[in-house]
Amino acid sequence: MGVTDPAGPVMDRDEVDRALARLGAEHEAIETSLLALQDHAGRRLLEGAELTGVTRERWAAAEASITLLWAYFDAYTAALRSAREIRARRRWSSREDLVELTELLRGDSVTVPGGAATLGAASKLSESFSLGTLVDRMNELYASSLDLVVTADAVWSALPARIDLLAAELQRTRKLAHSVGVRPGEHPAGDDLERITRTLTRLREDVVTDPLAFWVPAEGSSAPGGGRPDTTVYDREARALEDVRREIDAVLTVRQDAEARLIRLRDVLSRADRTLAEARTARGEVLAKIAATEVPVVSGPPTVLQEQLATAAEYRRQAQWHRLSPLLESLEQKAEDELLRARESLTAVTAPLAVRAELRGRLDAYKAKVARHGLAEDPLLMERYDSARRMLWSAPCDLRVAEQAVLRYQQAAAEQFGASRIPQQGEPQDRRSESS
C-alpha cells in the first residue's frame, strides 16, 4: 500500500499520466492486499470462532476497520475511475480537464459517507479526503487489522497443537500411572496428574477462545505479528508432567528390582543381627577376661525394621509399587545405618581385648629383642617379664596394671641396651632401641 502525492499547482498532461499510472499500480497493490486479508486463514477462524476476552473486543473493532477499509477502497476506486474517464475524453486534455484532474488527484475530492468514515467517533454526514490521506488511512487500518489476524493465527497455529500433543502424552502417563497404583488421593503424583489435566483442558479452551491473551509482542517491532506466543503456562505444565513421569519411572524401576532389593535388605539386616550377636558374645568374654573396664551395653536388633521389611514384602505381593518405592528407599538407608551401628558396637566392645593383644605382642617383641642381645638370662629382665606375662595371661586382666608392668620391662631392657631415652606411656618407642 503506497502514498499519493500531495495537492499542488495545476498538473500538466505528463504529470497526470504519470500520476494515473502510479495510482493504477497502487490500486492493484491495495486490492491484492485486501483480498489476501479477506482470504487469510486467521481471519476466517476469527469470524467462525466463539471469542472471549480481549480477542473478542479487538476483533469487533477489527471487523469494523475491515469494513471501513473496503469502503475507503471503493471510494478510492471510484475516484480513480473518474480521473481515468476525464483523461480519456481527449488525447490532449484541455486546461479545464487538467484543473479538474489536479483537484481530483491532489485535492480533498474523495467523499466517504459519515457512517463509514467516522469509525469510533461522532457520526458525520460525510467526510472528504485527498487520495493521499485516504491511502494513509487505509494503510493504518490494514496494518492494525493484519496484525490482529496474524497474531491470532500464530497463537492458534502454535499452542493448540502443542497442547494436544502434551495432552496425549498425559493420557499415556495416566494409564502407566494407573498400572503401578499411582492414583489421585493415593499418591502425590496421581494428584499432580489430575491438576495437570484440569490445567491443560482450561488452557486449550482459553487459547481457542482468546488467543490474543497468549501473545507477547516483540519490543520495538512494528511489523504485523511481531512477537511470539506466550507459552508460560504450557511450559510449566510440561515440566510438571516430566517430573511425574520420572516419579512413575522410579516406581516402575521398583517393580522390576523389588525382589532383588528385598533380598539385599534381608542380607544387610541379617549381617547387622549377626554382628550384634557377636558383640554380645564378645562383651561376655571381655567382662570375664578384663578387669576394671567399662564395657558398653549391646542393644538388640530393632524390631521396627523387621516389621517394615515385612510390610515391604506385603506391598510387593499386592503390587502396591507406589507405596513400596518410598518404603524401600527408607529401609535401605536405615539398614545400612543399622549395620554400621552394629559394627561400631562390636569395635567398642572388643577394644579392651585389642589393647590386651597389643600389650602381649609388645611384650613378646621385647623378649625376642632381649634374646638377640644375649640378655635372656638376665635376672631383672626375667623377673619383670614373668610379672608382666602373668598379668596379661591371667583372668581377669587389669589392663592398667599390666601396661605398667610391660613399660617397666621395656624400661629395664632399654637400660640394658644403653638407650639414652626411655619411652613413656603412649609415646613412640625409642628409635635406637627399636633398630638394635
Side-chain angles (χ1 to χ4, degrees), residues 257 259-269 332:
D257 302 339
E259 182 60 25
R261 292 173 70 180
L262 284 170
I263 291 173
R264 285 196 298 270
L265 267 173
R266 293 188 185 99
D267 178 63
V268 171
L269 290 176
E332 286 167 342

Side-chain angles (χ1 to χ4, degrees), residues 46-127:
L46 284 165
E47 283 186 338
E50 295 183 6
L51 303 175
T52 60
V54 63
T55 305
R56 179 177 181 178
E57 296 175 4
R58 288 187 58 188
W59 176 238
E63 281 190 304
S65 295
I66 293 172
T67 300
L68 183 56
L69 259 174
W70 282 104
Y72 281 164
F73 179 71
D74 290 343
Y76 180 86
T77 301
L80 179 59
R81 185 187 306 114
S82 297
R84 284 172 172 170
E85 290 173 353
I86 294 171
R87 179 65 184 86
R89 289 174 186 170
R90 303 174 182 86
R91 183 177 180 184
W92 303 100
S93 299
S94 65
R95 179 170 177 79
E96 289 76 10
D97 289 344
L98 292 175
V99 170
E100 187 175 359
L101 285 168
T102 299
E103 175 60 25
L104 185 58
L105 296 177
R106 291 182 173 175
D108 295 338
S109 59
V110 184
T111 301
V112 181
T118 55
L119 179 64
S123 240
K124 296 181 181 179
L125 293 177
S126 64
E127 190 171 0

